[in-house]
Amino acid sequence: MGYQVMKSLTTGKKPEKVIPVNPSKKCIMGLETYPSLINVDGDVDLAVIVLPAHLVSSSIKECIRKKVKGIILITAGFAEIEDQSGYILQREVSELANRADIPIIGPNCFGIFNVKTGMNATFNPDFPDTVKEGKVALISQSGGVAGAIAFESRTRNIGFSKIISLGNRCNTDFAEMIEYLMDDSDTEVIAMYMEGIDEPRLLLEALSEFRGKKPVIIYKVGKSKVSDMASQSHTGSLAGRFDIYMGAFRQAGVIVVDSITDLLDVAQALTCSPLPKDSNVAVLSGQAGLAMIACDVCETFGMQVNPFSPETQTKLNRFLPPVTIRTNPVDLGPAWNNMSVVRDAIKVLLNDKVMSSLLLLFVMSGANEDNFSGLSEVFESVTERKPVLSSILSLPGGKWETEIKALEQSGSLVNYPTPERAARALAGLWEYQRIRNLSEQ
Amino acid sequence: MGYQVMKSLTTGKKPEKVIPVNPSKKCIMGLETYPSLINVDGDVDLAVIVLPAHLVSSSIKECIRKKVKGIILITAGFAEIEDQSGYILQREVSELANRADIPIIGPNCFGIFNVKTGMNATFNPDFPDTVKEGKVALISQSGGVAGAIAFESRTRNIGFSKIISLGNRCNTDFAEMIEYLMDDSDTEVIAMYMEGIDEPRLLLEALSEFRGKKPVIIYKVGKSKVSDMASQSHTGSLAGRFDIYMGAFRQAGVIVVDSITDLLDVAQALTCSPLPKDSNVAVLSGQAGLAMIACDVCETFGMQVNPFSPETQTKLNRFLPPVTIRTNPVDLGPAWNNMSVVRDAIKVLLNDKVMSSLLLLFVMSGANEDNFSGLSEVFESVTERKPVLSSILSLPGGKWETEIKALEQSGSLVNYPTPERAARALAGLWEYQRIRNLSEQ
C-alpha cells in the first residue's frame, strides 16, 4: 500500500515534493528517507499516513509537533472493524487531531486526487491515466466506488476537479467537503457517493446553507437491510433510514440519483449545459420510438412535453409532411433524410420562446449519415442559449462523430448513448434550476 | 428507400436471390428487372414492397396471384397518418392478405433481418456490420428503436437471431411473433419493444400459452400522456393504460424492463447464464461499496442477500482477516491483493449449497491487475453450474481483459460495466426461473 502511494505521489503529470518517512530504510524509490517526521527539514503541508493501525496515534502526534496542515490517513482497522478496539483507536485519533485543529481525511480511505494540480495522494497510481480534468468534484465514502466511477467516466466527455475518498470520516465529513468545494473555483458540480452518515444534521445544514450555489448530486446506498448493516462494517456508520434521508436531501436542495450511471450523466449535463428556465421541453426525433421513450422519462421526472405554440406549429407544418407526429414530440419521418429540413426544424425549436430545452434523438445509418452536417451553423445562428441534450447514435468512428464532438466542444449539446439517459440528464438540469428558483425566493 | 432495401438484400454475408420489380426500369443495380411480379419466372418466397401507399393494393393483388409466401410492406402512409384515408387503405390491404392467408410484416416498418441466414430485408444495409449473430430475437414496433438497440448492443457480448420491426401490424402482430419465435431453434430469448397494442387479448393468450418455454422480455412505452398519444401517430394504435399492461404482462410470465439498457442487460444474462434455483445470492466484492450498491438493487428486485450457513462462514473466516465484512456480502478488503485468497473465496461460494447465484464485483488497478489470473481453473473445478454475474472494472485493454473474455466465452460469467447493471441482470434471471416454477405447477 505504501509503495502504491509513493508511486502515485511521485509519478503523474506534476510530481510533488515527497519526503518518505520510515524508521528502517535509508532510501525509498531513490528518495532520501527520514526515520521520523520530526527530522524533516522545513515545513510539511500534508502527511499521508500508511502505517499499521497501532502505530497511527504516535504518528499523528508527530504531525502535530511538526505542525502539518492536513493529514490523509489511509490506514484501515478503525471504527469499521468488528473489534471494539478499532472504535477506541479512531476516537483517540480524532481527539488528538481536533485538539490541534488538523483536518484528517480518513481513516480507512484511499486518499485524494487533485486532478488539476496532479497531486495524487491515493494508493491508485493509475488515476492520472484514468480520469480527465474537469469541473466535477467527486466525494466518495468508498474508495472502491470512486474507482468504479472513474472507470465509467473514462470513455466519456466528463472530467473531475477532485476525487476524494472520505472513509470513516473521523473529523472531516461530507459537511466539511460541501463547505470547502462551494468555494473551490475548480469545481462547478459536487457529486457524492454516500453510505452512512454520522452527523446528518451538520450535512443538512451545510447543504441548506449553500443551496443553489452549486449543484449537489447525491447517490446514497443503504436502501436494503443488508447494505445498511454492511455500511457499519465498511466505513463505520449505519446507513440509516433511507427514505427519510432521501426526503431530507431533496428538501435541502440536492439532486438525488440512484445509480453510478445517473450520477455521471447528470453531472456531465450540469457541467456542459446551460439550465432550462422552466420544465417545457421540445422533443425532436428522427425516429418516433426514441421520442416516445424520452417522453416517458421526461414526464416521470417532472418535465412537460406540451404542445407547441400555434406560431411554432405553423412553421413546422410548413416543411414537415403530414404523415408523422408534428406536434411535440416531432418525428421527422421521411424528412429525416433531408438535412435542410432537419436544420430548419432544429432552428425553429431553438428559437421557440416557450420551449426552454430541446432533446434531439437520431439514429444514423449509412443512408442518412452523409446528411448529418452543418448543425454547428444552426446552433451558432441562435442567440438564446438553451440546453440541448441528445442521443445521436451511430457506428463508432462514423462521419457523424466529428460533428457531434465539435458540437459538444462548443457547448451546443451533450450526447448520451440512449434516449432514456439523455432525458434523465435533462431532468437533472431542470431539477437544479428548480432548486435555484426556490433558494432565491 | 428502395435503393437501401436493394442494397441490404444484395450485400451482406450471403446475398439472397433478388429480383427487382419496377415498371419503368430494365435493370437495377445490375439485376434484370421485371415490369410486374407476374412476369417473374418461378416461385417467389418473399415480396418486399417499397412503393408509394396508393400503389400498394394492386401490388398485394399481384403477390396473391403469384402466391408469394410472405410480404414485407415497408411503405408508410397507412393507419399512422392524420388522414382517415390511411386507415381505410390499411384495412383494404389487411383484408386482401387475410383472404389469401398471406402474412404481412408492416406496413410502416423497416423490415426484418435474419442474422443467422444473413437475409437483410430492411432499409438499413449497415445491419450486418452492426449486430452480431446470437440467440436474442428482437421484435420492435419501431424501426428506429431497433436501430438504437442494435447500436447499443454493438460493443457488447450480445447477439441476435432475428431483428424484426413490426410497424402498424396489419395482420402480423406481437402474438404471431411469440408463436413463431417459441418454435424457432435459433432463438433462446425474445426481447420486445412495444408502443401500442391493438389486440391485447391475443397477445396475453400467446404469452400465457408459452409461459416459461422461452424468456420473454418486454420494454413498453406509453407511461406518459404524450407518448400514449404519439403512439397513435407512430404505428397506428394507442399505447393504452400503462399500469394495466404492466400487471397483465407480469401475470402472463413476462420479464418487464424499463429501458433499452435493461432490455439488453437482462437478455444478455438469459442467453449466457444458467438460471438460479432460488433467490439466494452471494455477493463477493473487492471493494465494499460496490457490494452495497448491488445489495440495494438485489433487494429491490426480490433477491435475498441472506447470511451464509455456519459451515461456509467458518471456511471464509479461515482465510479472511476480521477487518472487513465477511458475512454476505463479503468484502475481501486487504485480502483482495492475494489471488490465492480471492480464488479460495470464489470456490467456497460456488460450492455453497444455499447460495444459488454469485455476484462478483471488483475494481482493478495497477496494484492488483497482475494478480487477476487463474480464475478459469476455479470455475472448472466446480461441478454445479450456477449464475455468476460480475462487474469487473479496469482500464480497457488491461491484462484482466483476456481472463474475463475467456470466462465469458466459457459461460462461467457475464460481465457488466456497473454493479447496478450486474445486479439487475441477475434479478432478471431469477425472475425467469420464478416464471418457470409457476408455469410447472
Side-chain angles (χ1 to χ4, degrees), chain B residues 226-437:
Chain B
V226 64
S227 77
D228 191 0
M229 273 155 55
S231 178
Q232 173 72 45
S233 42
H234 182 210
T235 46
S237 58
L238 282 168
R241 291 156 75 188
F242 187 77
D243 292 340
I244 293 180
Y245 278 123
M246 292 302 105
F249 286 159
R250 287 201 179 90
Q251 279 195 1
V254 165
I255 303 167
V256 171
V257 296
D258 62 2
S259 67
I260 289 175
T261 309
D262 287 355
L263 186 78
L264 284 172
D265 284 349
V266 173
Q268 182 176 9
L270 282 163
T271 52
C272 301
S273 169
L275 298 174
K277 70 178 189 327
D278 59 35
S279 61
N280 276 314
V281 51
V283 180
L284 178 65
S285 186
Q287 296 82 12
L290 304 184
M292 292 169 65
I293 288 173
C295 289
D296 272 6
V297 177
C298 282
E299 205 172 290
T300 301
F301 285 94
M303 307 278 304
Q304 317 295 324
V305 190
N306 285 329
F308 298 124
S309 66
E311 299 75 43
T312 292
Q313 193 62 63
T314 306
K315 282 183 199 162
L316 288 171
N317 292 355
R318 219 171 279 154
F319 49 78
L320 283 177
V323 296
T324 59
I325 318 161
R326 297 182 293 176
T327 53
N328 200 7
V330 180
D331 169 15
L332 288 163
W336 166 230
N337 282 308
N338 183 338
M339 192 57 199
S340 132
V341 172
V342 174
R343 280 195 298 255
D344 285 348
I346 292 175
K347 200 181 281 187
V348 166
L349 296 176
L350 286 176
N351 282 320
D352 181 276
K353 294 283 176 228
V354 180
M355 298 295 148
S356 49
S357 58
L358 176 59
L359 276 175
L360 283 183
L361 310 164
F362 299 147
V363 178
M364 316 299 286
S365 72
N368 54 29
E369 205 170 46
D370 284 340
N371 294 333
F372 196 75
S373 64
L375 282 196
S376 304
E377 295 92 89
V378 175
F379 283 95
E380 278 163 21
S381 73
V382 176
T383 48
E384 198 194 353
R385 277 196 79 208
K386 56 175 83 168
V388 183
L389 270 51
S390 67
S391 184
I392 303 177
L393 308 170
S394 180
L395 285 181
K399 291 174 194 167
W400 66 283
E401 267 197 342
T402 320
E403 183 100 7
I404 296 292
K405 286 208 191 309
L407 288 166
E408 289 202 302
Q409 285 296 325
S410 72
S412 298
L413 61 78
V414 192
N415 197 42
Y416 291 92
T418 68
E420 292 93 341
R421 289 174 59 181
R424 172 64 189 101
L426 180 61
L429 293 181
W430 164 232
E431 215 169 326
Y432 181 55
Q433 180 56 53
R434 219 164 29 184
I435 290 162
R436 276 163 50 117
N437 293 346

Side-chain angles (χ1 to χ4, degrees), chain A residues 1 49-57 73-93 106-109 167-168 232-236, chain B residues 321-325 331 333-334:
Chain A
M1 199 81 97
I49 301 179
V50 203
L51 284 169
H54 68 276
L55 298 175
V56 166
S57 281
L73 178 52
I74 288 179
T75 307
F78 290 85
E80 83 280 6
I81 62 168
E82 283 174 22
D83 198 302
Q84 178 74 0
S85 67
Y87 179 80
I88 294 167
L89 207 56
Q90 182 163 326
R91 204 173 52 193
E92 188 184 322
V93 162
N108 185 29
C109 73
N168 293 10
Q232 172 73 42
S233 42
H234 182 207
T235 47
Chain B
V323 296
T324 59
I325 318 161
D331 169 15

Side-chain angles (χ1 to χ4, degrees), chain B residues 26 40 57 94 138 146 155 201 209 214 258 267 323 334 338 397 405:
Chain B
K26 290 221 164 150
V40 173
S57 282
S94 306
L138 173 65
T155 52
R201 199 180 46 81
E209 186 189 339
K214 289 180 185 178
D258 62 2
V323 296
N338 183 338
K405 286 208 191 309

Side-chain angles (χ1 to χ4, degrees), chain B residues 148-168:
Chain B
I149 290 174
F151 280 128
E152 179 67 4
S153 79
R154 194 177 171 276
T155 52
R156 300 165 59 183
N157 189 27
I158 186 165
F160 297 93
S161 55
K162 269 110 188 157
I163 296 180
I164 300 159
S165 133
L166 285 182
N168 293 10

Side-chain angles (χ1 to χ4, degrees), chain A residues 126 151 154 195 219 221-224 226-227 233-234 259-260 288-289 292-293 296 299 325 328 364 366 395 420, chain B residues 126 151 154 195 219 221-224 227 233-234 259-260 288-289 292-293 296 299 325 328 364 366 395 420:
Chain A
D126 302 332
F151 280 126
R154 194 175 172 276
E195 294 171 0
Y219 174 27
V221 293
K223 206 189 293 187
S224 62
V226 63
S227 76
S233 42
H234 182 207
S259 67
I260 288 174
M292 293 170 63
I293 289 174
D296 272 6
E299 204 172 290
I325 317 161
N328 202 5
M364 316 298 285
L395 285 181
E420 292 92 342
Chain B
D126 302 332
F151 280 128
R154 194 177 171 276
E195 294 171 358
Y219 174 28
V221 293
K223 207 189 294 186
S224 62
S227 77
S233 42
H234 182 210
S259 67
I260 289 175
M292 292 169 65
I293 288 173
D296 272 6
E299 205 172 290
I325 318 161
N328 200 7
M364 316 299 286
L395 285 181
E420 292 93 341

